[in-house]
Amino acid sequence: MILVTGGAGYVGSHTCKALAQAREEHIVFDNLSTGHDWAVKWGTLFRGDICNLHDLRTCFQRYPIQEVVHFAALSLVGESGIKPAEYYETNVIGTLNLLRVMKEFEVRSIVFSSSAAVYGEPEEIPIPESHPLRPVNVYGRTKVMMEQLMADFQLAYGLNFAALRYFNAAGADPDGEIGEVHEPETHLIPNVLRTALGIQEMLDIYGTDYPTPDGSPIRDYIHVTDLAEAHLLALNYLRRGACLGAINLGSNIGYSVGEVVNSAERLVGHTIPKAARQRRAGDPVRLIAGNSRAKEVLGWSPQSSLEEMIQSALVFSTGKMRHLA
Ligand SMILES: NC(=O)c1ccc[n+]([C@@H]2O[C@H](COP(=O)([O-])OP(=O)(O)OC[C@H]3O[C@@H](n4cnc5c(N)ncnc54)[C@H](O)[C@@H]3O)[C@@H](O)[C@H]2O)c1
């Protein structure tokens, strides 16, 4: 059985659906701080906190856990600078607790969510995994520490891990069953769609004077179902008894904020009101993943286009609105 921490959240719930489709039995461990009980549709929900060793031990005692997929974390870059204690507590201490309990129960395989934030301001594009790790915010530093914990547990106790460094997760389940619901929402595509659907008045565009063709920053977007698939491939890789280490999950392609907005405008058939705002501190011009290692080692490459990401997010958002009406 697979333990999925943070399985009630955005990427976690999509991965749980992919696990269920692959007939992989799993249990969701989540404190529902940013996740949702309605998003736990495939495995049983065990309500617990990774900061609490007792919760973790109870879950490991109750279920025959053999592998772990670890999403549970706090992940708002801006908030991490204002609440560093909470971020180090959940992301670093919570991960250390999980690894300790895994060791106690002789569970030696973990796939976990790292982030492009580990790199900081890139020296080269696309960014390879060998790029120096120089995070520019607390969130990114917690992810580097989580990776370091895994590497040290590997050396000392033979833990096999995969640190999946995602770039920007986007889109929703194509069946519309689950999708992205964060409060506050800081990700671009849901905010573009909220504005398009009239839920918010204006879309803020942070920085319109970057050295890019339209002046807005460029990011790498990955469909959440493509990400989910990569977790299954990583689990299978670890089952061979090997350690995968760090691996980028991105597309090798970047889209500017302006291009994402234009694409959404074409889909909804009208212009989206937008306001130019100051650049945010620490927001690099371009973040694009080199994904050759994921291709070579996992046989993974993203399958969905930007339009498919926006379309699936739109289907989920409109369904949600109908539900609330
Ligand atoms: N969404 C992205 O674009 C993106 C990009 C890079 C990395 N990541 C990483 O991927 C992971 C999942 O991201 P997401 O967007 O799905 O986030 P999310 O907030 O939707 O999901 C996180 C889940 O973890 C749970 N959780 C938080 N603290 C917990 C605790 N102490 N104990 C138990 N459960 C707890 C939340 O309730 C939530 O269900 C995170 O680790 C995040 O840092 C996400």
Side-chain angles (χ1 to χ4, degrees):
M1 180 176 275
I2 303 165
L3 178 75
V4 183
T5 76
Y10 172 45
V11 188
S13 58
H14 288 79
T15 303
C16 286
K17 181 167 183 178
L19 286 171
Q21 285 172 332
R23 302 196 185 288
E24 297 273 14
E25 214 187 342
H26 63 274
I27 166 108
V28 170
F29 182 101
D30 203 298
N31 68 356
L32 301 183
S33 56
T34 59
H36 313 278
D37 53 2
W38 55 259
V40 184
K41 294 185 195 265
W42 295 280
T44 307
L45 173 64
F46 181 101
R47 235 180 135 152
D49 195 317
I50 54 169
C51 298
N52 184 325
L53 274 166
H54 176 73
D55 287 353
L56 284 165
R57 287 192 179 116
T58 307
C59 185
F60 274 74
Q61 269 152 8
R62 195 169 299 167
Y63 299 97
I65 293 160
Q66 291 155 317
E67 298 158 296
V68 175
V69 185
H70 178 37
F71 296 100
L74 299 179
S75 52
L76 297 178
V77 169
E79 186 185 68
S80 72
I82 302 165
K83 297 180 173 174
E86 283 85 341
Y87 274 70
Y88 285 111
E89 175 80 24
T90 299
N91 297 5
V92 183
I93 308 292
T95 298
L96 177 60
N97 288 342
L98 176 64
L99 293 179
R100 268 202 182 136
V101 176
M102 284 174 65
K103 180 175 167 286
E104 285 167 21
F105 286 79
E106 297 181 6
V107 176
R108 290 210 171 75
S109 210
I110 180 166
V111 175
F112 93 100
S113 313
S114 185
S115 166
V118 297
Y119 297 116
E121 187 71 47
E123 282 172 2
E124 59 177 301
I125 294 287
I127 308 172
E129 285 87 355
S130 56
H131 187 284
L133 304 185
R134 285 197 288 258
V136 292
N137 48 58
V138 170
Y139 169 66
R141 285 191 277 278
T142 68
K143 291 286 173 182
V144 172
M145 290 180 193
M146 288 162 75
E147 289 195 8
Q148 190 60 60
L149 282 174
M150 304 276 165
D152 288 338
F153 270 62
Q154 199 237 337
L155 285 177
Y157 312 121
L159 175 85
N160 284 329
F161 72 94
L164 304 182
R165 293 178 180 161
Y166 323 152
F167 282 59
N168 290 33
D173 168 42
D175 305 326
E177 289 190 275
I178 41 174
E180 182 165 15
V181 182
H182 289 130
E183 202 50 61
E185 186 57 76
T186 59
H187 292 153
L188 177 64
I189 292 176
N191 276 323
V192 167
L193 295 177
R194 280 160 85 125
T195 318
L197 297 172
I199 301 167
Q200 67 185 39
E201 257 177 53
M202 200 69 83
L203 175 73
D204 292 327
I205 308 223
Y206 296 100
T208 50
D209 56 353
Y210 283 95
T212 59
D214 65 13
S216 63
I218 292 179
R219 296 290 177 268
D220 187 338
Y221 297 91
I222 294 291
H223 200 299
V224 66
T225 55
D226 284 333
L227 279 184
E229 204 49 46
H231 289 76
L232 269 65
L233 293 168
L235 272 173
N236 279 324
Y237 185 96
L238 299 185
R239 283 174 188 163
R240 293 186 226 147
C243 185
L244 184 61
I247 197 154
N248 284 343
L249 295 181
S251 71
N252 244 0
I253 301 171
Y255 292 100
S256 71
V257 172
E259 285 173 310
V260 172
V261 176
N262 291 343
S263 187
E265 286 178 338
R266 279 195 297 277
L267 269 173
V268 296
H270 59 82
T271 55
I272 294 169
K274 34 200 164 302
R277 306 280 181 217
Q278 295 285 331
R279 292 182 188 195
R280 288 181 298 205
D283 250 357
V285 183
R286 272 185 189 75
L287 279 179
I288 301 174
N291 65 3
S292 54
R293 181 155 197 256
K295 276 188 187 153
E296 278 158 29
V297 182
L298 291 181
W300 178 89
S301 54
Q303 302 298 309
S304 307
S305 64
L306 178 65
E307 285 70 26
E308 284 167 319
M309 290 182 232
I310 300 174
Q311 175 70 41
S312 60
L314 180 62
V315 167
F316 175 71
S317 302
T318 43
K320 210 173 60 199
M321 279 179 68
R322 237 180 283 119
H323 182 72
L324 292 174

